[in-house]
Amino acid sequence: MSQLVDSFRRKITYFRVSITDRCNYRCIYCQSEKQFEFIPHQEILRYEEIVEIVEEAVKLGITKVRITGGEPLAREGITDFIRQLREINKLEDISLTTNGFFLSEYAEKLKDAGLTRVNISLDSLQEGKYNRITRGGSLEKVLKGIDSALKADLLPIKINTVLIRGVNDDEVEDFVKLTLERPLNVRFIEFMPSGEESKDNYRDKFISALEIKESLAEKYSFRPVDINSGNGPANYYKIKGAKGTIGFITALSQHFCSSCNRIRLTSNGKLRPCLFSNKEINIKRAIRGTGKDSYNAAVIRKKIIRDKLMEAIKVKPKGHKLDIKNQNNYFFKMSQIGG
Ligand code: SAM
């Protein structure tokens, strides 16, 4: 039974864990091209610290963990880390969000280590544009990564596509066609106010999921389907005869806070109960202050971890107020928090 029930009776079962703020890409909606102010290595949680935090979180009722970043596959030792997570009793689902660049090298190894599934970010199917959005990415490598993930059975595969008006909204149908041919679940994500691209004319660049859905409905007929057992943020639809699905994530236009079941751990050891609130609980300071590694110190550390998790759940806000008219105060660094 979950002990992680927040002040609004939401049961928290999903832990998003960022293992690095570093990334081999500089996506225009996520990072600045120039800014290389990475968190110093000693401030980043060590794998064994993350494993211990997840172990305690699972004891309190977490059943699903998503590994993110930065780019999680850019951190050395990721396969062994997944293997250690797999050992945690009662952890049902381990997934990972990646830009896909290194995925063809890793897919089989990750599956073998115990990873359940992957989400792959893909914002254009045109090489030149893909390269401009990601500032240095390789579409060819990501497409190979998707093939490898399918082959390794890292299913269901979700493709994350952030739509920005005037940048990639002309490709919506190309993404939809992907789902006709392949068992991929393409999720159109509303552009959030993070990264350089959102600093100027954000409102003009924002496209609501509803607008996309309505324009697709003029051409295709689709029906709602559930690929998540009902608790993810996306609503999914299937076009008749398609192998995959399309989904919409309406972080701004239609909030899903009332069913939010997640909490985040940043790479520098802060528990973040809500992506859009700056409220953070420093769990690293607490666990690094427990002295040398004796049996007693470990017992105290585990108790502190559980207390900090409970503290974070208690301050999880009811919801956020971010919308298209109210985004100015919400500018945040996605790569540091972990998307
Ligand atoms: N490097 C990995 C990747 O590219 O998927 C994981 C980290 S990335 C921060 C996680 C997700 O956040 C990606 O799917 C990305 O598209 C999404 N994201 C980042 N900035 C965003 C923004 N401004 N609006 C919407 N989604 C965003």
Side-chain angles (χ1 to χ4, degrees):
M1 244 283 279
S2 177
Q3 292 174 51
L4 297 177
V5 179
D6 75 3
S7 317
F8 306 95
R9 298 208 190 138
R10 290 170 299 199
K11 205 164 127 187
I12 310 303
T13 53
Y14 183 25
F15 204 13
R16 280 182 93 109
V17 176
S18 171
I19 60 167
T20 179
D21 62 326
R22 285 155 209 256
C23 189
N24 55 319
Y25 281 12
R26 295 275 170 280
C27 296
I28 55 172
Y29 55 76
C30 188
Q31 300 220 7
S32 151
E33 192 174 20
K34 291 164 231 122
Q35 176 217 331
F36 278 84
E37 284 169 26
F38 290 123
I39 301 168
H41 277 297
Q42 66 275 17
E43 296 301 326
I44 300 287
L45 284 179
R46 297 187 291 272
Y47 280 137
E48 66 263 28
E49 291 173 321
I50 303 175
V51 170
E52 195 169 33
I53 293 170
V54 175
E55 274 169 354
E56 297 312 303
V58 169
K59 282 181 199 158
L60 293 177
I62 290 289
T63 56
K64 293 182 180 189
V65 169
R66 170 169 297 282
I67 305 305
T68 182
E71 174 47 44
L73 298 186
R75 181 162 174 184
E76 243 174 77
I78 178 76
T79 317
D80 284 341
F81 168 62
I82 298 290
R83 193 164 281 120
Q84 287 175 57
L85 290 180
R86 186 73 286 165
E87 305 268 290
I88 301 175
N89 207 0
K90 295 199 177 149
L91 178 57
E92 292 165 12
D93 185 84
I94 309 169
S95 58
L96 178 139
T97 302
T98 173
N99 60 33
F101 186 88
F102 302 108
L103 193 55
S104 61
E105 298 156 43
Y106 273 106
E108 284 290 346
K109 291 181 207 154
L110 290 168
K111 180 71 184 183
D112 182 58
L115 189 74
T116 321
R117 58 200 171 91
V118 278
N119 286 10
I120 303 164
S121 301
L122 178 62
D123 303 308
S124 175
L125 295 166
Q126 300 168 14
E127 180 73 52
K129 196 195 289 184
Y130 181 84
N131 196 273
R132 278 198 303 283
I133 294 175
T134 57
R135 293 193 281 222
S138 157
L139 178 62
E140 195 190 340
K141 285 203 76 164
V142 178
L143 295 178
K144 268 197 196 141
I146 294 174
D147 290 344
S148 310
L150 282 167
K151 207 161 147 230
D153 232 11
L154 286 165
L155 307 176
I157 295 175
K158 296 177 184 169
I159 304 290
N160 287 346
T161 304
V162 178
L163 286 179
I164 305 176
R165 197 186 303 282
V167 175
N168 59 353
D169 54 329
D170 56 330
E171 292 189 56
V172 169
E173 272 202 56
D174 296 335
F175 278 104
V176 168
K177 282 179 192 151
L178 263 191
T179 74
L180 299 178
E181 295 150 14
R182 315 194 76 186
L184 298 173
N185 305 286
V186 174
R187 294 134 40 105
F188 296 115
I189 302 179
E190 287 179 345
F191 175 32
M192 294 185 267
S194 155
E196 248 166 32
E197 191 64 24
S198 64
K199 284 189 176 148
D200 300 315
N201 307 322
Y202 172 75
R203 288 184 199 192
D204 297 336
K205 293 172 185 166
F206 175 84
I207 314 175
S208 76
L210 184 67
E211 181 182 332
I212 301 296
K213 197 172 147 195
E214 283 179 352
S215 81
L216 283 175
E218 286 171 13
K219 206 154 174 189
Y220 299 92
S221 86
F222 39 82
R223 64 180 168 84
V225 283
D226 188 0
I227 65 166
N228 263 337
S229 6
N231 55 7
N235 298 313
Y236 292 95
Y237 300 84
K238 199 179 188 92
I239 293 172
K240 201 166 176 218
K243 296 204 169 105
T245 65
I246 49 175
F248 301 93
I249 302 193
T250 58
L252 277 93
S253 66
Q254 229 182 348
H255 298 178
F256 32 83
C257 305
S258 64
S259 60
C260 183
N261 61 349
R262 62 187 60 182
I263 182 167
R264 290 179 147 80
L265 176 65
T266 66
S267 56
N268 60 344
K270 314 256 175 71
L271 290 168
R272 190 160 171 128
C274 169
L275 175 62
F276 301 114
S277 158
N278 288 330
K279 187 127 209 126
E280 290 182 334
I281 308 290
N282 194 328
I283 193 166
K284 180 183 67 191
R285 195 167 52 216
I287 61 174
R288 285 191 182 171
T290 52
K292 60 181 185 330
D293 211 3
S294 63
Y295 175 76
N296 278 348
V299 172
I300 293 168
R301 205 169 49 240
K302 286 175 197 305
K303 162 92 171 62
I304 291 176
I305 292 172
R306 291 194 300 275
D307 288 349
K308 289 284 164 192
L309 282 161
M310 301 292 273
E311 190 183 329
I313 298 306
K314 264 196 205 126
V315 296
K316 186 172 167 68
K318 186 173 184 188
H320 67 81
K321 295 194 170 56
L322 173 63
D323 63 30
I324 179 67
K325 289 185 221 93
N326 172 29
Q327 26 69 28
N328 291 336
N329 296 328
Y330 274 92
F331 188 81
F332 59 97
K333 286 186 183 162
M334 186 73 113
S335 58
Q336 292 200 343
I337 303 164

